[in-house]
Amino acid sequence: MISSVYDSPIGPLTLASNGAALTQLEFENPKHPLPTVPPGEDKIIAQAKRELDAYFKGKLKTFTVAVAPQGTEFQKKAWAALQKIPYGVTRSYGQQAKVIGSPAASRAVGAANGRNPIAVIIPCHRVIGA
């Protein structure tokens, strides 16, 4: 595992890679800090930085960098559903809960989204309260 800081228009983002996929994208001063990973650079981090550059310039709508978020099975289902929300579209927590087959779990979906370890690329910002 290695990490690198990406200076984005929304502040520094720490990207971490396991060599095969991005495992973390963390904002500065996170509410739920992720594990610290030693610095380095690889093809996954380089691809993520290129895609983030294009995304923030409005030229990219779908990320293709491989991701491997670590969490519970429920969290992984919630995060996988996030990746299916198209650019420019929003969903409610209730809609996301239905998509993953747990229609009564909108609060749990909200909690899972709050623990998203690869924000921006896994677009939790596309889910709203109602």
Side-chain angles (χ1 to χ4, degrees), residues 11-93:
L13 304 174
T14 301
L15 308 172
S17 165
N18 65 9
L22 199 65
T23 58
Q24 296 175 202
L25 184 155
E26 186 171 65
F27 292 96
E28 186 175 36
N29 303 316
K31 185 175 182 179
H32 304 287
L34 296 167
T36 302
V37 178
E41 187 92 19
D42 66 7
K43 65 182 182 178
I44 297 296
I45 289 175
Q47 179 183 355
K49 287 179 177 181
R50 285 191 307 274
E51 290 185 10
L52 286 164
D53 281 341
Y55 178 80
F56 287 123
K57 290 177 183 171
K59 297 179 180 180
L60 180 80
K61 295 183 179 176
T62 304
F63 289 93
T64 60
V65 64
V67 294
Q70 300 302 302
T72 67
E73 287 308 310
F74 182 85
Q75 288 171 328
K76 289 177 185 179
K77 283 174 67 174
W79 300 332
L82 290 173
Q83 292 177 279
K84 295 176 183 168
I85 302 172
Y87 179 88
V89 174
T90 58
R91 298 276 191 268
S92 70
Y93 293 115

Side-chain angles (χ1 to χ4, degrees), residues 69-82 93-94 96-117:
Q70 300 302 302
T72 67
E73 287 308 310
F74 182 85
Q75 288 171 328
K76 289 177 185 179
K77 283 174 67 174
W79 300 332
L82 290 173
Y93 293 115
Q96 186 184 1
K98 287 177 189 169
V99 166
I100 66 170
S102 299
S106 59
R107 285 184 161 195
V109 163
N113 289 359
R115 295 284 188 163
N116 176 5

